Amino acid sequence: MTLPPATFLLVTYNNEPFVAEALESALRQDYPSLEILVSDDCSSDATWDIIRRRVAAYDGPHAIRINRNAENLYQRHL
């Protein structure tokens, strides 16, 4: 039986203390054909750097895409 593709979405903003653990949890998933999408809403702390470093070092089976918004979209709409 072939399982359908799935996407794991991790959305973050200024989560420097927690983003590494959240990302590690996503990368440890054992679902086959998994795409991991990480999106950062223009964090002003080290969140984006942590994401980039960890994804660059990843050599596992999952497809990973990362995105960083050029501006904080949540704050823009308040």
Side-chain angles (χ1 to χ4, degrees), residues 3-60:
L3 296 172
T7 300
F8 186 118
L9 176 60
L10 176 62
V11 180
T12 189
Y13 172 70
N14 283 351
N15 284 339
E16 181 178 354
F18 312 107
V19 70
E21 184 177 355
L23 188 51
E24 288 303 320
S25 177
L27 297 175
R28 284 193 304 267
Q29 298 303 306
D30 61 1
Y31 189 87
S33 191
L34 182 66
E35 172 188 49
I36 299 170
L37 175 57
V38 183
S39 185
D40 178 64
D41 197 15
C42 198
S43 291
S44 59
D45 63 5
T47 298
W48 179 244
D49 293 329
I50 293 167
I51 292 167
R52 286 187 347 189
R53 283 194 310 265
R54 182 56 188 103
V55 168
Y58 180 69
D59 66 352

